Amino acid sequence: GAGVSQSPSNKVTEKGKDVELRCDPISGHTALYWYRQSLGQGLEFLIYFQGNSAPDKSGLPSDRFSAERTGGSVSTLTIQRTQQEDSAVYLCASSPGPNTEAFFGQGTRLTVV
Amino acid sequence: KQEVTQIPAALSVPEGENLVLNCSFTDSAIYNLQWFRQDPGKGLTSLLLIQSSQREQTSGRLNASLDKSSGRSTLYIAASQPGDSATYLCAVAGGTSYGKLTFGQGTILTVHP
């Protein structure tokens, strides 16, 4: 595809359920990022993948959050036992390499009820 | 830890005015600075990327400058239009936050006819 694709675009889940959010980066981009944007808040860094290096997980808010990137392409962000404070827009971005221009997807709006 | 601040938080101008948005960062050891636009309910659109070795970049009515030593960047929008209304975000890459982008809180711009 031409850009970063995220699915689903919207997700409503019950408190305590697990959710998986998917990101398809731009083909050939080695760097992939996940950010979270809560209502009225700035972008909060979650995790960064670069090539085959160990990911930078320093932004994950708790051990309920995890992410994988398979084959250096598609990434999945998993939130276990969701809480209401997890409600936010989750944004994925990719770039050709580290410290290069980043391109964002449209985001997944997660609502935990 | 890199911190990014954007001033003003909100700006309302009449159509046709030229305007300046400000971004400052605390760690000058950056690789680049990127300006984004975010429309309500949407993802981020990259506007301009300035490498650390550059002083400015231009795209159409947009001009971004970078003074790395003083930790400042400005985004100049000429002849503003109602379609320019959006949230503008700046983000820096590098320094102590290698790879990942650190964002400011954004400036909400409203251009009224």
Side-chain angles (χ1 to χ4, degrees):
Chain A
V4 178
S5 178
Q6 292 188 246
S7 60
S9 55
N10 283 284
K11 176 72 176 178
V12 179
T13 189
E14 293 181 351
K15 178 182 173 181
K17 300 285 190 182
D18 297 353
V19 294
E20 286 189 351
L21 312 180
R22 177 186 170 104
C23 173
D24 282 273
I26 294 172
S27 179
H29 281 194
T30 62
L32 187 147
Y33 319 75
W34 283 98
Y35 284 81
R36 176 168 74 174
Q37 188 174 35
S38 302
L39 189 62
Q41 301 296 310
L43 273 81
E44 175 188 5
F45 167 76
L46 297 177
I47 189 168
Y48 163 62
F49 295 89
Q50 172 53 48
N52 296 321
S53 302
D56 177 352
K57 304 180 181 181
S58 60
L60 294 178
S62 77
D63 59 9
R64 295 186 296 105
F65 288 72
S66 63
E68 291 184 338
R69 189 178 185 192
T70 54
S73 181
V74 172
S75 177
T76 303
L77 177 68
T78 301
I79 308 173
Q80 296 178 310
R81 305 180 302 282
T82 51
Q83 303 294 313
Q84 288 186 330
E85 61 263 28
D86 299 334
S87 295
V89 176
Y90 289 81
L91 292 163
C92 175
S94 70
S95 62
N99 302 310
T100 58
E101 187 173 9
F103 298 88
F104 279 77
Q106 291 297 300
T108 293
R109 181 175 299 278
L110 174 67
T111 304
V112 182
V113 298
Chain B
K1 177 186 171 186
Q2 178 73 272
E3 293 183 0
V4 180
T5 303
Q6 290 187 246
I7 295 173
L11 182 63
S12 181
V13 300
E15 182 176 6
E17 271 204 9
N18 302 324
L19 58 99
V20 175
L21 307 181
N22 298 288
C23 173
S24 62
F25 45 95
T26 55
D27 183 351
S28 62
I30 64 170
Y31 286 89
N32 61 58
L33 183 146
Q34 198 166 351
W35 282 93
F36 294 90
R37 167 188 175 137
Q38 186 175 32
D39 293 286
K42 303 292 186 183
L44 278 65
T45 300
S46 177
L47 297 174
L48 289 165
L49 172 76
I50 311 178
Q51 299 293 349
S52 62
S53 58
Q54 297 176 316
R55 298 285 292 182
E56 66 179 302
Q57 279 284 355
T58 298
S59 176
R61 294 182 295 108
L62 305 180
N63 176 277
S65 68
L66 175 64
D67 184 342
K68 199 175 83 161
S69 61
S70 67
R72 294 180 183 177
S73 175
T74 61
L75 179 66
Y76 174 83
I77 303 177
S80 58
Q81 303 170 357
D84 295 331
S85 298
T87 297
Y88 290 80
L89 296 151
C90 73
V92 296
T96 55
S97 303
Y98 181 79
K100 68 191 183 196
L101 293 170
T102 303
F103 282 84
Q105 292 290 313
T107 294
I108 302 171
L109 174 65
T110 303
V111 181
H112 47 89

